[in-house]
Amino acid sequence: MNESAPAGTAAPVGRPYVLTSYDPRTGEQLAQYSVHSSAEVTRAVRTARATQNWWGELGFAGRKRLLLAWRRYLARNAGALVELLRDETGKPEADAALEVMLAVENLDWAARNAERTLGRKRLSSGWLTRNQQASVGYLPLGVIGVLGAWNNPVFTPMGAIAYAMAAGNTVVFHPHELTTGVGTWLAESWAAVAPDHPVLQAVTGDNRTATALCLAEVDKIAYAGPEAAGREVIALCAQSLTPVVVENSGKGSMIVHVDAVLDAAAEAAVFGAMANAGQNATGIQRCYVADSVFDDFLARVAERAARLRPGADNRAAYGPMINATQVDVVRRQVRDAIARGGHAVLGGLDSFRDPYVEPIVLAEVPEESIAITGEGIGPVLVVNRVTDLADAVTRVNAAGNGIAVTVFTLDIPSAEFIAEQLRVGVVTVNSSTAFTGIPALPFGGVGEYGQGHSHGQQGLREYSRTMSIARRLYRAPVRLSTFDRHPRHLRTAKALFRLRRG
């Protein structure tokens, strides 16, 4: 299910199989965790289903109170979570702290806005049914299975966990095997707030545990990660018709128009491509730049990227590749780009010193290169020349693989027009990844990139089912929904219909 081979190592004969986590910066062993069997996963789901009765009946106000208590616990103990996150991912402190803060902000928003979004609301009835009172509300689905990501193991799964819990669901969380400690810490933090109510549980293990969760007949699965594994999740869930929310990997694009502020655009492009060692699904993989400003923009990007230094200390711009298998993926993409005629403006095949990758800027890369068509994981930025905005839109849509596109221009009406031509879930204007810090803003993929939404009101409704109610208030003066209707009722209704609609 995950893109890497199982990270667990076999224990001596007579001892249970365990999963070992490592610090990607040093290879040092951090901890060992149980590999939960299919039976253990099933028991966790049964416990979650029993707990959901209590959690659902608690109502919006009761859930809000406990979720905000959990938020306070996370905020007060953020230092411990940041250190664990750094240990398992190698991120600099600033990146780890930002990830934790964004996750906590999403939890706060979901808790505070669940009732307003999902609570029952009155609806207007039609002129033929004025004696009916209509309303719609949203009820929890039940038990949600969440498959965690390794690149942002707090922020990404919290986009499902917080919203699912706020909607009244219980959650069984399988953290990625590379960041198991972060996942178990999150579950234990909930237990510290509500020790007798396992609304959030973590099941640990490798691909087999993730597969077991997909087959455990939960009410929905939320997955974030590589496309190939996402397809496998969909296939597994199809066996029981379990719906899925899928956020596939793959960074987005930037469009730089002729009137863009080039310094600001270059700054955003480099951060979007290189932050978190380029391991952000909301980042930037490729820039399409108007011909007249191409050379100037490329020079500014290269100069900014050249200042960056990866490493293990807090002075480093970014950390290691969290998943060691991704180093070879990035190397193949760079090699293919150069072999097809692209040229390295900064770095290249000599930029790899495992587990770190120095910043790489490539230019004039053919659109068929896997550096453009493949999932962008790594501190690599492709900068290509375009003739105009229409050319840029065509290339962005053809490349796909992006949840977000950034447009840099001073012509805001044109930017908004361009946004509607792009087949992506989010368009940002004159900034890059800042939208991830807006909990109210939903985002999701288009087509094969993803199914469903994270964050915002759509994120809450993603883990809810619609319940509509129509209630008769009084006997209708014009009765049509009966076999005992009087002929004059039909004549009256037809006359009113002609007056209203004719």
Side-chain angles (χ1 to χ4, degrees):
M1 173 120 5
N2 300 327
E3 73 283 1
S4 63
T9 55
V13 176
R15 293 180 59 192
Y17 183 73
V18 296
L19 185 73
T20 303
S21 65
Y22 298 92
D23 187 326
R25 297 167 295 189
T26 63
E28 175 188 2
Q29 179 177 318
L30 295 173
Q32 290 187 325
Y33 302 92
S34 298
V35 174
H36 288 146
S37 66
S38 177
E40 290 172 307
V41 171
T42 299
R43 282 197 293 272
V45 171
R46 288 175 179 167
T47 298
R49 202 164 294 284
T51 305
Q52 198 279 322
N53 293 328
W54 169 82
W55 185 241
E57 292 172 0
L58 202 57
F60 291 111
R63 292 195 294 268
K64 176 181 176 181
R65 177 177 56 81
L66 283 173
L67 289 170
L68 292 181
W70 187 30
R71 180 215 63 193
R72 287 191 295 272
Y73 183 94
L74 292 174
R76 291 169 181 168
N77 295 275
L81 181 55
V82 166
E83 284 307 307
L84 180 57
L85 181 58
R86 292 194 64 210
D87 287 343
E88 290 198 322
T89 66
K91 295 184 181 188
E93 182 180 8
D95 285 355
L98 178 60
E99 180 177 344
V100 170
M101 288 188 288
L102 289 176
V104 171
E105 288 301 311
N106 272 277
L107 172 59
D108 181 82
W109 190 92
R112 293 183 183 278
N113 289 275
E115 183 170 12
R116 182 172 63 87
T117 302
L118 305 176
R120 185 157 295 279
K121 297 177 179 64
R122 290 273 298 272
L123 303 175
S124 60
S125 55
W127 66 277
L128 282 171
T129 53
R130 296 185 65 179
N131 69 318
Q132 299 285 330
Q133 183 183 89
S135 67
V136 62
Y138 299 87
L139 302 178
L141 293 174
V143 179
I144 307 301
V146 177
L147 303 177
W150 50 264
N151 54 338
N152 289 298
V154 179
F155 173 73
T156 299
M158 191 61 83
I161 293 170
Y163 291 80
M165 290 173 64
N169 304 279
T170 51
V171 174
V172 179
F173 175 35
H174 175 257
H176 193 281
E177 59 196 77
L178 297 178
T179 52
T180 301
V182 169
T184 57
W185 193 97
L186 287 173
E188 289 165 1
S189 70
W190 169 260
V193 173
D196 300 323
H197 302 289
V199 177
L200 172 63
Q201 302 172 79
V203 290
T204 61
D206 53 20
N207 297 354
R208 294 167 294 178
T209 310
T211 298
L213 184 56
C214 289
L215 298 176
E217 298 189 3
V218 296
D219 296 290
K220 201 164 205 175
I221 287 283
Y223 164 84
E227 180 183 344
R231 290 177 181 274
E232 186 178 347
V233 168
I234 293 171
L236 288 168
C237 291
Q239 298 179 34
S240 57
L241 298 181
T242 301
V244 296
V245 178
V246 174
E247 181 186 317
N248 288 335
S249 299
K251 291 182 290 188
S253 303
M254 175 185 281
I255 296 173
V256 182
H257 194 29
V258 292
D259 63 348
V261 178
L262 295 186
D263 269 338
E267 179 184 12
V270 171
F271 184 80
M274 312 293 177
N276 194 26
Q279 299 168 113
N280 289 330
T282 57
I284 296 171
Q285 182 175 3
R286 46 202 174 259
C287 289
Y288 294 106
V289 185
D291 181 73
S292 61
V293 296
F294 177 84
D295 292 332
D296 192 0
F297 175 80
L298 183 60
R300 294 171 193 247
V301 163
E303 188 273 331
R304 282 184 174 274
R307 304 178 201 164
L308 305 182
R309 180 184 63 83
D313 59 271
N314 281 326
R315 295 187 302 275
Y318 58 83
M321 298 296 289
I322 302 167
N323 189 336
T325 64
Q326 291 299 313
V327 176
D328 285 336
V329 173
V330 178
R331 185 182 286 112
R332 285 197 299 272
Q333 290 178 348
V334 173
R335 182 182 294 114
D336 183 74
I338 294 172
R340 291 178 183 270
H343 61 277
V345 179
L346 176 70
L349 292 174
D350 57 351
S351 298
F352 296 84
R353 49 182 186 88
D354 299 7
Y356 299 98
V357 180
E358 301 280 352
I360 300 172
V361 178
L362 305 172
E364 306 286 17
V365 176
E367 296 293 315
E368 65 271 17
S369 169
I370 59 173
I372 290 179
T373 63
E375 293 178 329
I377 300 293
V380 180
L381 179 64
V382 173
V383 184
N384 278 355
R385 191 188 310 264
V386 292
T387 56
D388 52 29
L389 287 174
D391 185 17
V393 169
T394 299
R395 296 199 194 194
V396 169
N397 288 339
N401 293 336
I403 194 171
V405 170
T406 292
V407 180
F408 265 82
T409 177
L410 297 179
D411 186 352
I412 303 304
S414 290
E416 293 176 349
F417 174 79
I418 289 295
E420 296 182 356
Q421 317 305 313
L422 295 165
R423 286 186 53 78
V424 293
V426 180
V427 174
T428 65
V429 180
N430 296 330
S431 69
S432 56
T433 60
F435 73 90
T436 59
I438 308 174
L441 186 70
F443 61 84
V446 176
E448 292 188 3
Y449 177 78
Q451 301 180 26
H453 288 81
S454 298
H455 303 181
Q457 292 187 352
Q458 284 89 331
L460 286 166
R461 288 176 181 159
E462 197 69 61
Y463 302 101
S464 307
R465 62 184 179 90
T466 304
M467 172 54 68
S468 299
I469 297 176
R471 177 170 65 89
R472 195 182 86 162
L473 298 175
Y474 53 85
R475 182 184 177 92
V478 178
R479 300 175 61 220
L480 298 181
S481 300
T482 174
F483 287 114
D484 296 328
R485 58 179 170 252
H486 195 282
R488 72 170 178 272
H489 288 182
L490 181 59
R491 290 196 299 271
T492 300
K494 290 168 67 175
L496 289 171
F497 176 75
R498 284 192 296 271
L499 285 172
R500 292 175 61 88
R501 307 302 182 200

